[in-house]
Amino acid sequence: MQAVKAVEVGADGKPGEVKEGWYEVQKMVRGSVLNGYSILRSCEVVVDPAWAWEVPGERLGAYTDAEGHFSFLSSAEGYLVMKPGEQCIDVATNLAAKLPLVAPDVSGVVTPLTTLAAGLMAHSGLTAAEGKACALRAFGLGSYDLYG
C-alpha cells in the first residue's frame, strides 16, 4: 500500500475529483523466459516476495506465450519465479523444464544467469545491482545487460 493522490477520470475522459489515500498500487510486470538461447513456452511466472513457492493468499501471474513472453499486473515485490512443470516446454528440445528460473523483480528476463544473481541476493543479502555485478564478474561478462 502506498499513499497516493488519484484523479478520477470520467466516462468522457475528463479529469474529475482528486482523491488522496492509501491504495494498492499495481505495476505491469513484463519480460521473457529464456534458457540460454532457447525459449520456454507455457511456463507459469509469478512474483514471489520471499522466493518461498507457497505464499499465503493469491499470487497473480501469467503463463509465457509461444515466444517466451509474459505480462501481468502485480502489487507484489520480490522475485520473478518461473515454475517448472510438464506444461513448461523448452522449444529447442521440446522437453519439459525441470528446474525453476528466478530473477529479481526489476529484471525484464528470467534466465539461468538471473537465477544466479537472485540466489546471491536471497542468500547473501545483496541488492539486485550487487547480485548482477557478482554474476557478471564470475563469468567475465563485463557490462552485459543481465536484466534486459
Side-chain angles (χ1 to χ4, degrees):
M1 299 279 267
Q2 290 180 302
V4 296
K5 256 186 202 179
V7 178
E8 282 187 354
V9 178
D12 59 0
K14 294 183 180 176
E17 182 181 348
V18 175
K19 294 185 175 184
E20 291 186 55
W22 290 89
Y23 296 93
E24 185 171 9
V25 178
Q26 293 192 330
K27 63 181 177 185
M28 182 59 72
V29 179
R30 290 187 174 109
S32 300
V33 178
L34 306 168
N35 188 11
Y37 292 106
S38 183
I39 296 166
L40 293 168
R41 65 176 164 81
S42 302
C43 303
E44 185 180 9
V45 178
V46 298
V47 177
D48 193 331
W51 190 354
W53 297 105
E54 296 301 325
V55 176
E58 188 175 317
R59 290 189 307 179
L60 298 176
Y63 285 86
T64 57
D65 63 17
E67 296 172 350
H69 304 298
F70 60 88
S71 177
F72 60 94
L73 285 172
S74 177
S75 59
E77 295 180 351
Y79 300 94
L80 295 173
V81 178
M82 184 282 304
K83 295 172 141 184
E86 292 302 314
Q87 84 287 351
C88 182
I89 304 298
D90 184 321
V91 298
T93 63
N94 211 30
L95 296 173
K98 300 285 185 200
L99 299 171
L101 295 176
V102 183
D105 66 359
V106 298
S107 185
V109 294
V110 183
T111 69
L113 277 176
T114 63
T115 302
L116 172 61
L120 290 167
M121 290 171 58
H123 299 290
S124 300
L126 301 179
T127 65
E130 292 166 337
K132 172 184 172 180
C134 286
L136 293 177
R137 195 169 36 256
F139 288 94
L141 295 175
S143 62
Y144 176 75
D145 186 9
L146 184 62
Y147 297 147

